[in-house]
Amino acid sequence: MLSHAEENYLKAIYHLSQADKSDVSTNAIAEVLQTKPASVSDMIKKLSDKGFVNYQKYKGVNVSVKGRKEALQIIRKHRLWEVFLVDKLQFNWDEVHDIAEQLEHIKSPILTQKLDKFLGYPRIDPHGDPIPDERGEIVVGKKVPLSEIQVGKTVLVTGVEDSDSEFLSHLDKIQIALGTKILIQEKNSFDGSMQIELSNQKTIFISKQVADNLLVTE
């Protein structure tokens, strides 16, 4: 059994190693977790003794096979809880991270399985990040601009090219968010605008600029 603090460290090391594709320094971990490098060194020794990380002096630390498996299960729980909070309790996407940080430490595998089933086995969280499956595998579909999708296709919104606040506000107004399913009904060959149907069966028209900036996965 890992403590909450150990789980937080393990998850941070995994995320940092994925971003840089290399071993992680104690200073980088300290910065992310807002703690002192000496505290990080103590925790790395504990995780190493339990077989969750591999550490080489002066080279940094990375998760072991055992550690990667554990980190992905923590991430899985975190992202499933974020989906639950947004979809079922109507939290805004920017309100759920800290709450999910608390819920991710619940140890019950059965609860996680039932939560996944209850939510309909979602593939991404409200921020567009992929959710690991029960085996810890992550399926990341290729993201392409909505404007490149053919008429008749149904896709899932998984990101935005432009995170400008005005653009995001516009998406809120037309009820498009990460995780929204979109059916392409018609494309205008003159200006590239599109007629689309949303998850709630509402039909709207969007400009080519909007379509270019919406990233989707088939």
Side-chain angles (χ1 to χ4, degrees):
M1 278 275 189
L2 291 171
S3 68
H4 290 191
E6 288 171 330
E7 288 186 343
N8 288 337
Y9 270 85
L10 190 61
K11 187 176 67 168
I13 294 167
Y14 173 81
H15 281 311
L16 287 167
S17 68
Q18 291 299 296
D20 294 336
K21 302 297 180 185
S22 62
D23 290 344
V24 180
S25 70
T26 54
N27 286 336
I29 300 168
E31 184 177 351
V32 167
L33 295 178
Q34 298 182 333
T35 189
K36 297 177 180 179
S39 299
V40 174
S41 297
D42 291 341
M43 182 60 77
I44 286 174
K45 186 178 185 308
K46 290 180 182 179
L47 291 172
S48 179
D49 289 344
K50 293 182 179 182
F52 288 101
V53 300
N54 299 316
Y55 175 70
Q56 289 186 340
K57 196 172 183 180
Y58 306 122
K59 289 189 176 181
V61 63
N62 213 325
V63 292
S64 63
V65 173
K66 177 182 176 181
R68 182 180 186 277
K69 181 179 178 181
E70 187 69 24
L72 284 167
Q73 289 306 311
I74 299 165
I75 292 166
R76 168 176 162 78
K77 289 185 287 184
H78 181 102
R79 293 177 179 174
L80 284 172
W81 281 119
E82 287 194 336
V83 174
F84 174 79
L85 292 167
V86 170
D87 288 2
K88 304 303 179 182
L89 299 186
Q90 284 74 56
F91 279 87
N92 292 327
W93 68 271
D94 58 342
E95 297 176 321
V96 298
H97 179 76
D98 289 345
I99 303 172
E101 284 279 309
Q102 301 172 54
L103 294 169
E104 71 184 28
H105 298 296
I106 297 174
K107 305 295 184 183
S108 171
I110 296 176
L111 175 60
T112 306
Q113 292 169 8
K114 288 184 176 292
L115 178 63
D116 193 19
K117 182 178 179 181
F118 176 68
L119 295 171
Y121 305 104
R123 291 184 297 166
I124 61 170
D125 71 9
H127 306 100
D129 294 317
I131 299 173
D133 66 16
E134 196 169 353
R135 298 180 301 277
E137 296 178 1
I138 297 178
V139 178
V140 182
K142 182 182 179 182
K143 295 180 182 181
V144 297
L146 180 64
S147 54
E148 295 182 9
I149 303 298
Q150 297 177 352
V151 172
K153 293 275 190 178
T154 298
V155 295
L156 192 70
V157 177
T158 53
V160 291
E161 188 69 37
D162 183 358
S163 58
D164 179 80
S165 59
E166 290 187 7
F167 177 60
L168 296 179
S169 178
H170 177 67
L171 292 183
D172 286 340
K173 288 178 181 177
I174 60 177
Q175 300 179 343
I176 292 178
L178 296 179
T180 299
K181 288 183 180 179
I182 292 178
L183 167 65
I184 314 302
Q185 294 182 324
E186 185 179 332
K187 278 188 179 182
N188 190 319
S189 58
F190 173 68
D191 61 5
S193 60
M194 305 174 76
Q195 178 179 309
I196 61 175
E197 181 182 299
L198 305 181
S199 307
N200 59 8
Q201 298 185 324
K202 179 181 179 181
T203 297
I204 64 172
F205 292 89
I206 61 172
S207 68
K208 184 177 186 303
Q209 184 179 3
V210 169
D212 283 341
N213 282 296
L214 275 176
L215 300 178
V216 299
T217 302
E218 292 190 57

